[in-house]
Amino acid sequence: ALGPDRVNCLSFWLLVEDFRKTTNRSVLQTRAPRLYDKFFGASATHPVQLSPEVIAAVEIGDSPVRKNHFAAAQTEAKQLLEQWFNEDFVGSEQWAEFCHDSSLPIDIHMVHTE
């Protein structure tokens, strides 16, 4: 099951994907503070726990926001998601069955890490 941390992180990543496709500068300026407040602001309703350096880098200042404003945060969120979902997969029954399948042409035990 997906906990709130994972759901928030995935929601952030998906919303930033949409944000990056936005070509209207006025829309970018409107959406950026909303994204920041929703995920990183003091009263964030869907907090995403990224490194303090990355969060500081995406604070909304006075300068115009560009499509890549959340790029560093999105990259870090993606890394977290990959880590979480890889851990889930490696701990799954499917992976355990795969690792113990004697019909495999390779020695999977050499590449399986716990």
Side-chain angles (χ1 to χ4, degrees), residues 15-75:
L15 286 171
V16 171
E17 276 297 291
D18 185 55
F19 181 85
R20 289 178 42 213
K21 295 174 187 172
T22 304
T23 56
N24 183 317
R25 289 184 182 186
S26 176
V27 172
L28 288 173
Q29 303 310 312
T30 302
R31 285 189 186 167
R34 289 184 196 157
L35 276 171
Y36 181 85
D37 290 343
K38 180 175 184 170
F39 296 103
F40 306 111
S43 300
T45 57
H46 297 80
V48 175
Q49 302 300 317
L50 301 181
S51 67
E53 298 82 17
V54 168
I55 293 173
V58 297
E59 284 185 25
I60 307 301
D62 295 330
S63 56
V65 174
R66 301 183 187 280
K67 291 193 289 187
N68 66 350
H69 182 79
F70 293 100
Q74 187 182 33
T75 298

Side-chain angles (χ1 to χ4, degrees), residues 75-88:
T75 298
E76 190 169 314
K78 181 182 177 198
Q79 291 168 345
L80 281 172
L81 290 166
E82 288 172 344
Q83 175 186 348
W84 288 331
F85 290 111
N86 184 53
E87 287 171 359
D88 286 349

Side-chain angles (χ1 to χ4, degrees), residues 89-101 108-109 112:
F89 174 69
V90 170
S92 71
E93 285 184 38
Q94 292 83 2
W95 180 247
E97 288 174 17
F98 178 76
C99 290
H100 294 98
D101 185 345
I108 195 67
H109 302 288
H112 177 62

